[in-house]
Amino acid sequence: MHVFITGGSGLIGSAVVAELLGNGHTVLALARSDSSATALEAAGAEPLRGDLADLPTLRAGASQADGVIHLAFNHNFSTPAALAEAVAEEGAALAALGEELIDSDRPFITVSGTPSVPGRASTEADPLPIDGPVGGRSRSVMSVLDLASRGVRSAAVRLPRTVHNEGKGGFAGLLTDTARRNGVSGYPGDGTQRWPAVHALDAAVLFRLVLEKAPAGTAWHAVDDQGDAVRDIAAVIGRRLGLPVEAVPQHMFGPLGPIFATDQPSSSAHTRQTLGWQPRHPRLLEDLENIQP
Ligand SMILES: NC(=O)c1ccc[n+]([C@@H]2O[C@H](COP(=O)([O-])OP(=O)(O)OC[C@H]3O[C@@H](n4cnc5c(N)ncnc54)[C@H](OP(=O)(O)O)[C@@H]3O)[C@@H](O)[C@H]2O)c1
């Protein structure tokens, strides 16, 4: 397939580009800067210059492709307003990409987080939360899945809180950044809350499998670790950085504080059984040993 990808220069997207190219697909990749275009070209993809706000370019990319994978997101968590702007930008981009694919039966894969369900691991059948600071992202994903009734083979890959590679990425990466800034490896609450995780190289395989064979309107979980206690994550980060490990107020994590404090284990049993996906790369606590002081 000739695949148009957004976010192909990111932590997850670069793994997805490599996975696609290694399995007989070709890739056209949105690039918002010269350096991203150069990196994408070096990886073997054809760059298409533009950004998420550039809707005509998004439509042009989708129109040339046999399938679309969307991963780009402007991760500005500094203020609630900045986050809301990024969520709105992504929603408009997804709507433009989707319009281009109507009545084509082409695959359109987007990304969301795994949901949290009190007292148990969430499954692929659980609905996404539509409230909270990133509730708008869920609504955008649901609009994409609704395109199944309009001739689009739409699907969502739901990612756990941390998608990591070489000790970097996701919520654990944000904990590491916060620890470096504050001189303490902190966690909100009592630290027993669990976050799911997956290695980016394993998540990339799932994106390819979903592109190749997921039925329209379906959601999948790219979860390897069902849930690591946040205190255990902070402990590895503190040891690697030589910093004390302790509970800190939730507001230190900005608009994401309430999400950081939530217990949110997640399962991928249905995804593994149905698509034959099997994670093979290091789990989070092992991968965090790659953090350099
Ligand atoms: N990593 C995780 O643990 C995790 C967990 C759950 C969900 N997710 C979601 O998975 C997706 C990919 O995450 P990631 O960790 O790979 O993120 P990342 O490393 O921050 O990469 C983001 C990608 O999006 C591109 N991008 C950002 N803003 C853009 C804009 N306005 N226009 C065009 N491109 C733009 C970036 O381009 P440049 O390279 O040019 O900056 C980069 O390719 C995101 O939607 C993220 O929210 C990630």
Side-chain angles (χ1 to χ4, degrees):
M1 259 185 249
H2 188 51
V3 182
F4 178 49
I5 187 168
T6 73
S9 51
L11 180 131
I12 302 169
S14 55
V16 173
V17 168
E19 174 69 20
L20 293 173
L21 293 173
N23 286 275
H25 301 289
T26 53
V27 177
L28 175 68
L30 187 71
R32 64 170 168 170
S33 68
D34 288 343
S35 63
S36 294
T38 304
L40 285 159
E41 215 158 14
E46 180 194 343
L48 178 65
R49 282 303 302 268
D51 64 24
L52 272 187
D54 183 356
L55 303 184
T57 297
L58 295 180
R59 288 198 192 93
S63 73
Q64 297 170 47
D66 304 310
V68 174
I69 296 179
H70 164 73
L71 278 158
F73 187 73
N74 183 8
H75 288 117
N76 186 346
F77 301 124
S78 57
T79 63
L83 181 53
E85 202 174 301
V87 170
E89 178 183 64
E90 181 185 46
L94 283 170
L97 289 167
E99 274 164 27
E100 196 61 41
L101 297 173
I102 284 170
D103 289 333
S104 71
D105 285 330
R106 284 179 280 169
F108 181 20
I109 318 305
T110 192
V111 66
S112 80
T114 51
S116 65
V117 179
R120 66 166 171 83
S122 69
T123 74
E124 294 84 345
D126 289 313
L128 294 176
I130 51 168
D131 49 5
V134 289
R137 291 195 82 181
S138 304
R139 286 191 287 275
S140 299
V141 172
M142 285 152 63
S143 300
V144 169
L145 294 181
D146 285 346
L147 292 172
S149 64
R150 302 183 68 195
V152 181
R153 189 159 65 78
S154 56
V157 173
R158 295 169 165 192
L159 295 169
R161 294 301 80 81
T162 302
V163 183
H164 53 94
N165 197 350
E166 297 292 320
K168 298 190 180 116
F171 276 19
L174 294 175
L175 280 189
T176 308
D177 296 343
T178 310
R180 287 188 201 277
R181 269 199 313 275
N182 298 332
V184 50
S185 179
Y187 52 83
D190 67 5
T192 59
Q193 71 272 31
R194 293 158 296 170
W195 296 347
V198 72
H199 197 287
L201 296 176
D202 286 320
V205 174
L206 183 59
F207 275 94
R208 177 179 59 79
L209 293 173
V210 169
L211 175 87
E212 291 172 348
K213 55 188 186 180
T218 52
W220 307 93
H221 277 195
V223 172
D224 186 5
D225 315 27
Q226 182 160 308
D228 301 303
V230 176
R231 205 166 45 194
D232 295 341
I233 297 171
V236 182
I237 293 168
R239 180 166 47 71
R240 294 298 306 166
L241 297 180
L243 297 173
V245 180
E246 53 194 58
V248 298
Q250 199 171 293
H251 67 74
M252 285 183 73
F253 302 100
L256 292 178
I259 303 177
F260 270 42
T262 303
D263 185 45
Q264 44 197 308
S266 187
S267 151
S268 57
H270 170 70
T271 297
R272 292 174 195 235
Q273 279 158 18
T274 311
L275 297 180
W277 177 65
Q278 185 57 55
R280 298 180 195 287
H281 290 88
R283 294 184 144 200
L284 177 62
L285 297 184
E286 185 187 340
D287 198 20
L288 289 176
E289 298 292 348
N290 287 305
I291 293 174
Q292 299 304 320

